[in-house]
Amino acid sequence: MENLTFDLSRQSVSELNQHLHGTPESLAGQHITVSHPDGAHNIAVGINAPVRVTIQGHAGYYAAGMNKFADVTIEGSASTGVAENMMSGKVHVKGFASNGAGASAHGGLLVIDGDAGLRCGISLKGGDIVVGGSVGSFSGFMAQAGRMVICGNAGDALGDSLYEAVIYVRGSIKSLGADARIESLTEADVTALGALLAQAGLAYEPSEFKRVASARSLYHWNADAEQDY
């Protein structure tokens, strides 16, 4: 494996990303270390290659956004929009994540060891998100497909206007959003949860979690409901 280091105290984020936007063939097997990130924005965005990236510290907005194929580790915390619109690969935040973590992710796996802020997994479209801690309000809002695993607690309006995505919560739920409901775990849920927890390196038992899914009452307009759901 070829190892390269970009020092953001001396080099720009643009230089880093320009390298990471090389052809998949040229980047395959590389391990890129990013030192002194110091909360810079847009680190390692738009990767489309099977490359490993290790960010040695805290990252700013949209770190690892639009990721495809890459394995990105952030050894600190991440600000708004980490792994936004991820298509595939893995992003691992070893600290905390701010608002909108994993927003609109189509695929891949986002692991957050600590807590995540508001709107984690908003408009999720098929990716998987595992949060070792708690999440803020409106997490899973309009999540269309994919799975979220929350090992801590959830804030207000969890899963508001949920579609086909499923949310698993180990702790307490402050409130459920419109059309979200708690359901019994199935054998398929237990299997899926066990696999996701293993990928995230977490040892919780799947049976400790609650399943939150859509009641599907918002799928069709009901003129008689008078907006009272």
Side-chain angles (χ1 to χ4, degrees), residues 1-6 16 18-33 47 49-54 69-72:
M1 178 177 288
E2 182 182 1
N3 296 297
L4 296 173
T5 297
F6 281 80
L16 166 66
Q18 185 173 19
H19 176 81
L20 291 171
H21 294 167
T23 64
E25 295 76 18
S26 66
L27 289 167
Q30 286 191 11
H31 180 194
I32 309 298
T33 299
I47 302 176
V51 60
R52 283 183 58 205
V53 180
T54 300
F69 301 124
D71 185 337
V72 180

Side-chain angles (χ1 to χ4, degrees), residues 96-101 112 114-122 129 131-141 148-160 167 169 172-177:
F96 301 93
S98 187
N99 302 336
I112 301 164
D115 298 329
L118 304 171
R119 300 182 180 87
C120 180
I122 184 174
I129 300 175
V131 181
S134 300
V135 299
S137 299
F138 288 100
S139 289
F141 174 60
M148 290 182 62
V149 179
I150 301 163
C151 298
N153 304 320
D156 276 318
L158 177 70
D160 190 85
I167 304 172
V169 186
S172 64
I173 300 171
K174 190 170 182 182
S175 70
L176 292 172

Side-chain angles (χ1 to χ4, degrees), residues 170-195:
R170 182 172 177 267
S172 64
I173 300 171
K174 190 170 182 182
S175 70
L176 292 172
D179 209 36
R181 68 181 181 186
I182 295 175
E183 300 177 344
S184 299
L185 290 176
T186 65
E187 287 187 16
D189 289 316
V190 171
T191 300
L193 256 174

Side-chain angles (χ1 to χ4, degrees), residues 60-118:
Y61 293 174
Y62 303 114
M66 300 178 288
N67 186 55
K68 194 172 182 181
F69 301 124
D71 185 337
V72 180
T73 299
I74 300 170
E75 294 183 338
S77 295
S79 190
T80 299
V82 64
E84 184 202 35
N85 207 36
M86 178 165 60
M87 305 302 288
S88 63
K90 180 180 179 182
V91 177
H92 186 179
V93 181
K94 293 194 173 182
F96 301 93
S98 187
N99 302 336
S104 299
H106 291 248
L109 173 65
L110 169 62
V111 177
I112 301 164
D113 288 353
D115 298 329
L118 304 171

